[in-house]
Amino acid sequence: MNIAVCIKQVPDTAEIKWTENNTIDRNGLESVINPFDVYALETALRIKDKYENIRITALTMGPPQAEEIIRKAISFGVDNGFVITDKKFSGADTVATGRTIANAISKCIENVDLVICGQFATDGDTAQTGPTISTNLNYALATYVKEVLNIENGFITVKKEVEDGIETLKLKLPAVICIQKCDYEPRRPLIDGFIKAQKAEIPYYSMDDIGLEADKVGIKGSPTYVSKAFRPEQKHGGEIFENLTTQESVNKIIEALND
Amino acid sequence: MTREILIYAQTNREHKILNVVLELSCAAQELSKKLDNCIIAALLVTDGTNLEQNKNILKQNGFDKVYIAQNTEFKNYNTKYYSNIAINLINEINPEIVLIGATTQGRELAPVISSRLNTGLTADCTGLDISDEGKLVATRPTFGGNLMANILCKNYPQMATVRPKVLKISDYPLEKNTEFITINSDISNIEKDVEIVDFIPNIQLTDFRIDEAEIIVAGGKGMKSKEGFKLLKELADVLGGSVGASRGAVDLKLADSSIQVGQTGKTVMPKTYIACGISGAIQHTVGMSGAEKIIAINKDKNAPIFKIADVGIVGDVFEILPKLIESLKERR
């Protein structure tokens, strides 16, 4: 069974710079794997621990330096990975991104049964790319997944957390699942994983490689655009009270609650 | 052709219309004024349960038209079925704008619709407006609320999901002479590739729904133990609020991850957020800095939480909270 895990490199700090076109300037930012994608990787690796003949491919769309996070994924135990990168991809919104990633999955990996994404990326926070990948591939979809329960006879059963409780869903494979924070700790890199990661060949695929045209990708292929980006008003930063007695503290809080 | 704003009338598990639908209707009334008073329509997908009540709610809350897709198969939500119904309707009526609540369901349904229609969708908006050119301007926070972006859409319909509880419901009645239209609800040729096999209501969640709470009492590592969190629960109960937790507290197993606030947890916007023993790392504050009022209690006067608190108390939560609970109980 082939699993594709979609991961994204996100800035690690609150230092965000925007280009003149109001897209994110990723130059010089410290980057990490999107925290939700770490859970997506862990979910894939847990499936590999439990079942035979599982092959996991990690892929990312981004600038060439996103190769780092693919190596990192390999150090965790992922089998291989690649980067989808092309200047023409820049400025893509979720519709264009989902289309690009879906095309890469069907062109560059054979017979993918399961695509795993993180529920959100901490930079964009749209939660739309996973569902968009599923529509482009015409795969079954479940979002807000907390746990994979089992995979058998062409079906995957998952637990999904919604506002009022936990649903158990049975999806026909092939499927796309989007993972939210799980109740378990993601694993740390393996020692031989580091060596494997260093040695691994990470192919880059361009727009031509994945068979898309310029009007379907990047800013041209995106139906939305940012017209303005602005920092919200900093409304907080009030009074701090030190050396109050317990009763005075209580009174202050009650005053604030009634205000 | 009449211009329309279409709102997805999401219902809960008991088939009752969600509040966010009414919030969207109120926002749509404002948008409509800037769009030649265009029509406000709802799409109601139903198995027939509570249908009359739901029709009445929509009639009382400003909907000019309600499109009803009824089928016994619609007992439980299903993305493939519901998106097909919505796409067929959208292709027929060509609405200017489609609005969907940014619930777990809405955030799955909306991108499926938009990507199949190849139109733009802005996720999880906190504000909607119409530009001078008559286009939808959707405002959304990015980078955990550190930056706001106004997003426009080149195609039609212009789609957006909007966070529950951010838009206000108006106090005055908005009864309309609503037209109810039954639409094609045939889904026999669609393969159902997802089936719900079980549902366990989360009693803790239904008791205090953190996403919707007006008051959140949240604890961090400084609460030290599960006993500490019992204090928070007690305070939340007195105030009629919910309990939240920082990642630090969840990692120490003091609280369940379902109530985690912050980067890998929930983003909340209550009226009041009381942070107890929370240092206030950026990973936490991105999930709660949208609160109207922040009260922080922490032993460490240098804790970053005090930088965003409206009222900060440097002190011991284990001394202050029991007294606070006691005082509040006496006042009731």
Side-chain angles (χ1 to χ4, degrees):
Chain A
M1 175 171 166
N2 285 334
I3 300 177
V5 185
C6 306
I7 62 178
K8 185 181 187 186
Q9 196 175 37
V10 296
D12 193 18
T13 63
E15 297 280 312
I16 308 146
K17 282 179 255 163
W18 291 70
T19 65
E20 284 169 16
N21 304 323
N22 283 327
T23 55
I24 299 154
D25 180 6
R26 293 180 189 277
N27 293 323
L29 279 176
E30 281 287 316
S31 299
V32 293
I33 302 180
N34 171 39
F36 287 92
D37 300 347
V38 174
Y39 291 105
L41 285 167
E42 179 63 28
T43 304
L45 292 165
R46 282 177 178 240
I47 293 171
K48 194 177 165 78
D49 292 342
K50 190 169 163 188
Y51 299 97
E52 306 256 304
N53 298 320
I54 303 285
R55 187 169 176 79
I56 307 172
T57 306
L59 61 128
T60 188
M61 174 174 149
Q65 60 265 33
E67 182 186 319
E68 277 172 46
I69 62 165
I70 297 296
R71 289 198 194 275
K72 188 138 198 208
I74 292 171
S75 76
F76 290 139
V78 161
D79 295 289
N80 63 332
F82 60 85
V83 182
I84 322 160
T85 186
D86 199 310
K87 286 218 163 67
K88 298 189 187 80
F89 293 155
S90 71
D93 72 356
T94 57
V95 166
T97 302
R99 181 189 293 132
T100 305
I101 295 174
N103 263 61
I105 289 171
S106 47
K107 283 265 174 182
C108 310
I109 318 171
E110 262 177 67
N111 302 322
V112 174
D113 307 278
L114 182 63
V115 178
I116 308 181
C117 304
Q119 177 63 37
F120 303 89
T122 52
D123 52 355
D125 194 19
T126 69
Q128 288 175 184
T129 304
T132 304
I133 293 170
S134 89
T135 356
N136 278 279
L137 293 169
N138 200 21
Y139 282 14
L141 168 68
T143 54
Y144 295 91
V145 171
K146 268 213 119 155
E147 195 183 348
V148 170
L149 297 177
N150 68 61
I151 300 173
E152 54 190 16
N153 307 324
F155 288 89
I156 180 169
T157 307
V158 301
K159 267 163 78 173
K160 166 178 181 162
E161 190 181 315
V162 290
E163 288 89 346
D164 58 345
I166 308 271
E167 293 178 346
T168 304
L169 299 178
K170 193 173 175 186
L171 286 77
K172 187 163 182 268
L173 293 172
V176 174
I177 59 173
C178 303
I179 304 287
Q180 59 174 323
K181 188 183 175 179
C182 307
D183 287 328
Y184 40 76
E185 267 305 298
R187 68 196 65 195
R188 307 207 174 272
L190 310 160
I191 299 213
D192 60 342
F194 277 122
I195 300 159
K196 207 183 141 204
Q198 273 179 345
K199 284 185 182 161
E201 262 190 52
I202 314 287
Y204 289 6
Y205 296 117
S206 69
M207 184 185 77
D208 292 335
D209 295 331
I210 62 170
L212 277 172
E213 271 131 42
D215 62 341
K216 297 274 186 252
V217 301
I219 232 167
K220 276 192 189 168
S222 299
T224 60
Y225 61 98
V226 178
S227 75
K228 190 176 128 192
F230 55 99
R231 300 300 299 267
E233 291 167 41
Q234 298 292 321
K235 55 179 175 181
H236 294 300
E239 282 181 278
I240 299 169
F241 300 95
E242 272 185 82
N243 307 318
L244 297 186
T245 64
T246 304
Q247 192 56 51
E248 284 165 348
S249 299
V250 167
N251 293 346
K252 271 283 170 244
I253 294 167
I254 291 176
E255 201 179 295
L257 285 169
N258 292 333
D259 196 12
Chain B
M1 203 183 213
T2 348
R3 300 159 90 184
E4 295 187 29
I5 297 175
L6 182 67
I7 294 170
Y8 170 57
Q10 189 188 334
T11 54
N12 66 11
R13 219 167 283 275
E14 287 78 45
H15 297 270
K16 283 190 190 137
I17 302 258
L18 296 188
N19 262 341
V20 68
V21 176
L22 313 184
E23 293 160 13
L24 290 173
S25 169
C26 287
Q29 313 295 329
E30 296 305 311
L31 301 180
S32 164
K33 286 178 193 160
K34 297 182 181 173
L35 287 171
D36 308 327
N37 294 314
C38 74
I39 275 179
I40 296 159
L43 166 60
L44 179 63
V45 185
T46 174
D47 72 340
T49 314
N50 271 332
L51 182 55
E52 287 311 312
Q53 292 94 313
N54 286 339
K55 279 165 77 172
N56 198 38
I57 289 172
L58 295 171
K59 184 179 165 57
Q60 302 293 332
N61 282 281
F63 286 95
D64 301 287
K65 267 189 195 176
V66 176
Y67 298 99
I68 299 170
Q70 187 175 351
N71 189 320
T72 48
E73 283 291 323
F74 301 152
K75 185 175 183 303
N76 291 311
Y77 169 78
N78 181 282
T79 300
K80 233 179 197 159
Y81 285 170
Y82 282 42
S83 63
N84 266 283
I85 295 289
I87 287 163
N88 290 341
L89 176 67
I90 290 166
N91 282 333
E92 204 181 308
I93 65 170
N94 295 310
E96 299 251 327
I97 294 171
V98 176
L99 302 176
I100 297 177
T103 57
T104 55
Q105 183 183 112
R107 294 188 80 172
E108 178 166 313
L109 178 67
V112 167
I113 296 172
S114 76
S115 61
R116 281 197 41 209
L117 293 168
N118 191 30
T119 194
L121 167 65
T122 306
D124 208 23
C125 301
T126 53
L128 300 170
D129 201 359
I130 299 292
S131 72
D132 295 340
E133 294 78 36
K135 302 282 279 183
L136 178 71
V137 182
T139 304
R140 69 180 309 266
T142 57
F143 288 92
N146 283 315
L147 200 74
M148 305 297 283
N150 284 349
I151 297 181
L152 272 73
C153 178
K154 295 181 227 169
N155 306 358
Y156 288 96
Q158 309 161 85
M159 292 183 61
T161 60
V162 182
R163 260 188 216 179
K165 295 214 41 155
V166 174
L167 307 173
K168 300 277 172 273
I169 299 186
S170 71
D171 299 327
Y172 54 92
L174 269 171
E175 183 164 353
K176 292 257 181 113
N177 188 13
T178 310
E179 185 186 354
F180 294 97
I181 302 157
T182 304
I183 59 169
N184 184 6
S185 56
D186 179 29
I187 34 99
S188 55
N189 58 349
I190 298 162
E191 188 200 17
K192 190 180 192 181
D193 52 16
V194 180
E195 192 91 50
I196 176 163
V197 290
D198 194 20
F199 172 68
I200 302 162
N202 191 330
I203 291 162
Q204 202 185 10
L205 276 182
T206 8
D207 245 19
F208 33 126
R209 293 270 293 277
I210 190 162
D211 328 56
E212 293 186 6
E214 302 217 321
I215 297 178
I216 293 174
V217 181
K221 277 195 269 192
M223 295 315 297
K224 289 183 183 156
S225 64
K226 286 196 168 166
E227 298 305 311
F229 265 78
K230 279 189 187 151
L231 272 178
L232 301 182
K233 167 94 169 77
E234 226 181 300
L235 177 58
D237 285 347
V238 179
L239 293 169
S242 297
V243 176
S246 72
R247 179 176 179 161
V250 171
D251 286 351
L252 287 175
K253 311 265 178 222
L254 308 185
D256 192 74
S257 67
S258 61
I259 60 165
Q260 185 187 321
V261 173
Q263 194 170 61
T264 49
K266 298 203 157 58
T267 302
V268 294
M269 301 179 114
K271 287 214 168 79
T272 308
Y273 192 92
I274 308 176
C276 306
I278 292 178
S279 65
I282 179 93
Q283 288 78 2
H284 182 71
T285 57
V286 295
M288 46 67 80
S289 56
E292 271 177 43
K293 187 189 292 169
I294 298 169
I295 301 172
I297 311 167
N298 203 300
K299 262 207 240 186
D300 175 10
K301 66 172 182 183
N302 297 317
I305 192 78
F306 288 130
K307 287 201 183 111
I308 62 160
D310 297 277
V311 176
I313 307 281
V314 182
D316 185 347
V317 284
F318 294 101
E319 283 175 19
I320 296 169
L321 291 182
K323 266 230 151 96
L324 176 63
I325 293 162
E326 197 184 310
S327 300
L328 287 167
K329 277 184 178 162
E330 279 169 16
R331 278 159 179 261
R332 280 208 306 193

